[in-house]
Amino acid sequence: MSRSDDIWILGIHMTKFGKHPNLDVVDLGAQAIQGALADAGVTMADIGILAAGNLLGSGSIAQQLQKQVGQTGIPAYNVSNACATGATALRTAIMAVKAGEVDMGLAVGVEKLAGAGLLGAGGRAKADESEWARNGRFGAVGPVDGRIGTESMPGVFAQIGMEYGHKYGGTSFELFAKISEKNHGHSTLNPLAAYNKAMSLDQIMNDVMIAYPNTRPMCSANCDGAAAAVVVNGEKLKTLSLEQQRRAVKVSASILTSDPWQEACQVLPDVNTLTRNAANQAYEQAGVGPNDLDLVELHDCFATAELVHYDNLMLCEEGGAVDFFESGAPYRDGRLPVNVSGGLQSKGHPISATGIANIWEVCQHVRGEAGDRQIEGAKVGLAHVIGLASACGIHILERSAA
Amino acid sequence: MSTATQIPFVEYLVLEPEPHLVAQECTSCGARYFDRRNACAGCFATDFTPVEIATEGTLRAFSIVTFAAPGVAVPFVAAVIDCGGTSVRANIINCPPDPEHVSLGMKVRLATTVVGTDAAGVEAVNYGFEPA
Ligand SMILES: [Zn+2]
């Protein structure tokens, strides 16, 4: 079955997403790690490297977590890559295993975000200057956020969706709201989602407008959560139990890209090119194409973002994202279900956990362990994250042949 | 209008003789930048020359921001404008901030607005784009 340099997910765990007022980031991260170790059937003694991410905390989360779960002296990496932090932590562990330095690695991402306000808006209210003074890369005499466009995430991603509509046509406020309606509907089957209630199109469209065309339920939900994964090489996996081999999920592709230069990227982050590049590399590495996928968890940080990623991940023809959605394909009973977990809009988006939590979701399905929301017969799935600045992580996961 | 009492809000805005934006253009590949770069992000060359940006353009993307960071006045229209092949980030001004008055593909032109006056009486002048 497995080649010695293949990479496998041996164990993976996601905590309940939502509010955890009595748990801090260390408690939550430790819960995810212990869950992943138990799922893998190994202990910290087996782990050769730890990579951990937590964007909003005090730093050194990897070492803090070791002190909770097992302080074995292994190399510990603290990684930070915006919303792609979790995927970057996993990729760090995978690279160490792939390089042959260790045969088992652990990655974890954790965030406490419940009750956090608007993210990504750097515009601090500035005290009036006695005389104008220039600051920053544009030599501005005051904050540019709100005066020269927006730095808020909802506004940035709104423009990204609108730009797609300008280029290809067919988009509308209602279309974007329907994408959100789909994901809120999906999360009713996910007990670990931060929000489990379906929302009607009317409810979504009439909720508080954050940045047109994204209303509040069309934005990723701030919440607490953590996710962790144990990865192992094929050679080591062969020495483990048949049950461990049967439940192991093959990492057919593990890709991280950054955004290459493009004419407009200095005024609006280009989340398209790096996703398309990552998808091309991932499909080639895995030897599969979009038509082979049974489900996709993509980075729907806003309803407007989900639309463009149908196209970027080549789930449809170029320019065909609106038709793809309207065909019903990305619904859980459609041809290619997208975000059956509820996605970031409903499952929630504890930033650093997201890039492992989406892989956990795909693993649940290809292992046949997704319960009520199981996509029947799922063998291959893709997990995608975007961190603005920008970073894109894509993993393709396949059911074990054992 | 005298420049003695007015300064541009950002360095890449030039107020005289008519308000316009100036970018640094890579002399090797033509890529344009509104901030200073050590090398061109596209081709790594290191020589740049200032170029004037067209003051008329097409609205390529927008969002009507109604919820923003503290200190940011809402609502406002954040936009990306295609100015003769150069993408510019700006607010849409002199126009009601609603989807009935702002639409993709609409023609817009550069306009200026005073954002404030300091203790010395100097006005800071910002740019935006208004319906053409
Ligand atoms: Zn160049």
Side-chain angles (χ1 to χ4, degrees):
Chain A
M1 47 165 273
S2 66
R3 297 212 327 269
S4 61
D5 65 342
D6 282 346
I7 301 291
W8 298 79
I9 295 203
L10 186 62
I12 189 161
H13 186 81
M14 169 184 150
T15 69
K16 164 84 175 136
F17 279 10
K19 294 190 176 87
H20 290 285
N22 300 320
L23 300 177
D24 63 18
V25 287
V26 176
D27 296 321
L28 270 174
Q31 194 183 104
I33 288 176
Q34 291 184 313
L37 291 170
D39 189 49
V42 299
T43 73
M44 281 305 290
D46 300 298
I47 300 296
I49 174 187
L50 170 64
N54 170 234
L55 278 192
L56 303 183
S58 56
S60 302
I61 185 69
Q63 286 83 352
Q64 291 184 60
L65 287 169
Q66 286 179 299
K67 290 168 182 64
Q68 299 297 311
V69 299
Q71 208 173 333
T72 55
I74 57 171
Y77 291 77
N78 291 286
V79 308
S80 170
N81 220 355
C83 301
T85 293
T88 306
L90 181 65
R91 177 106 191 88
T92 302
I94 286 174
M95 285 193 294
V97 175
K98 194 94 181 168
E101 293 208 2
V102 299
D103 51 28
M104 214 178 281
L106 173 63
V108 59
V110 56
E111 214 73 61
K112 287 275 290 182
L113 265 186
L118 188 69
L119 298 174
R124 283 181 295 277
K126 198 173 156 193
D128 280 343
E129 298 282 346
S130 55
E131 285 187 25
W132 300 114
R134 297 202 178 275
N135 268 303
R137 302 297 293 183
F138 299 115
V141 297
V144 299
D145 185 24
R147 286 174 167 155
I148 301 177
T150 182
E151 286 169 7
S152 77
M153 296 282 173
V156 168
F157 278 95
Q159 291 176 83
I160 286 166
M162 297 293 271
E163 185 180 43
Y164 190 88
H166 178 52
K167 195 168 175 188
Y168 298 112
T171 60
S172 65
F173 177 27
E174 185 174 328
L175 173 93
F176 291 123
K178 278 183 180 165
I179 291 174
S180 190
E181 181 192 25
K182 167 181 76 75
N183 291 354
H184 285 284
H186 283 170
S187 72
T188 58
L189 297 173
N190 185 356
L192 296 188
Y195 298 96
N196 305 96
K197 288 204 175 82
M199 293 187 77
S200 72
L201 194 57
D202 266 3
Q203 276 180 303
I204 291 167
M205 293 180 75
N206 291 310
D207 207 309
V208 178
M209 183 60 76
I210 303 294
Y212 178 90
N214 287 322
T215 64
R216 187 169 49 193
M218 297 164 71
C219 301
S220 48
N222 289 336
C223 65
D224 305 334
V230 174
V231 291
V232 64
N233 63 28
E235 190 175 355
K236 177 74 177 178
L237 181 62
K238 280 184 220 165
T239 70
L240 302 177
S241 74
L242 288 176
E243 178 65 0
Q244 283 167 309
Q245 293 182 36
R246 186 189 65 77
R247 290 186 70 252
V249 173
K250 188 179 175 190
V251 181
S252 301
S254 173
I255 302 291
L256 187 73
T257 57
S258 63
D259 52 328
W261 178 81
Q262 179 254 85
E263 188 279 320
C265 70
Q266 66 174 336
V267 298
L268 185 66
D270 173 19
V271 301
N272 303 318
T273 311
L274 82 167
T275 296
R276 190 169 287 270
N277 287 352
N280 272 318
Q281 291 174 43
Y283 292 134
E284 188 182 341
Q285 195 172 88
V288 304
N291 289 330
D292 300 315
L293 301 175
D294 297 306
L295 75 157
V296 170
E297 287 286 305
L298 62 73
H299 201 73
D300 63 319
C301 49
F302 299 91
T304 45
E306 176 156 331
L307 184 82
V308 303
H309 294 315
Y310 295 153
D311 199 323
N312 295 327
L313 296 171
M314 292 169 277
L315 310 184
C316 60
E317 287 177 15
E318 196 166 339
V322 173
D323 289 345
F324 175 78
F325 176 74
E326 287 181 340
S327 77
Y331 285 79
R332 56 167 292 113
D333 58 353
R335 180 174 65 76
L336 179 42
V338 174
N339 291 334
V340 296
S341 66
L344 279 58
Q345 292 165 66
S346 200
K347 177 182 72 175
H349 184 27
I351 307 175
S352 294
T354 292
I356 296 176
N358 60 357
I359 289 168
W360 176 84
E361 179 70 21
V362 173
C363 286
Q364 293 299 101
H365 292 273
V366 301
R367 281 170 160 180
E369 298 176 2
D372 290 344
R373 69 183 184 291
Q374 176 71 40
I375 297 300
E376 280 312 315
K379 289 189 177 69
V380 188
L382 180 150
H384 158 259
V385 283
I386 279 279
L388 265 199
S390 298
C392 176
I394 290 184
H395 288 83
I396 294 178
L397 296 312
E398 283 188 66
R399 179 194 289 179
S400 166
Chain B
M1 193 180 292
S2 161
T3 53
T5 57
Q6 291 196 328
I7 59 167
F9 186 72
V10 286
E11 284 175 323
Y12 64 88
L13 170 64
V14 174
L15 298 177
E16 297 289 330
E18 292 296 324
H20 63 279
L21 304 180
V22 171
Q24 299 302 313
E25 184 178 272
C26 171
T27 56
S28 176
C29 77
R32 293 175 168 184
Y33 302 97
F34 290 114
D35 57 350
R36 59 188 186 277
R37 302 289 171 112
N38 298 76
C40 174
C43 78
F44 334 131
T46 54
D47 290 326
F48 298 90
T49 186
V51 289
E52 290 190 13
I53 304 299
T55 55
E56 299 201 334
T58 304
L59 184 62
R60 203 174 71 216
F62 73 92
S63 175
I64 303 162
V65 180
T66 40
F67 193 88
V72 176
V74 290
F76 66 93
V77 181
V80 175
I81 295 115
D82 183 343
C83 292
T86 300
S87 298
V88 175
R89 174 176 144 174
N91 284 9
I92 299 300
I93 60 174
N94 304 329
C95 176
D98 61 59
E100 285 70 48
H101 292 86
V102 184
S103 57
L104 293 169
M106 73 189 272
K107 301 295 177 196
V108 293
R109 65 179 168 234
L110 190 124
T112 56
T113 178
V114 174
V115 297
T117 305
D118 72 4
V122 177
E123 290 179 340
V125 177
N126 194 13
Y127 73 95
F129 282 76
E130 64 183 10

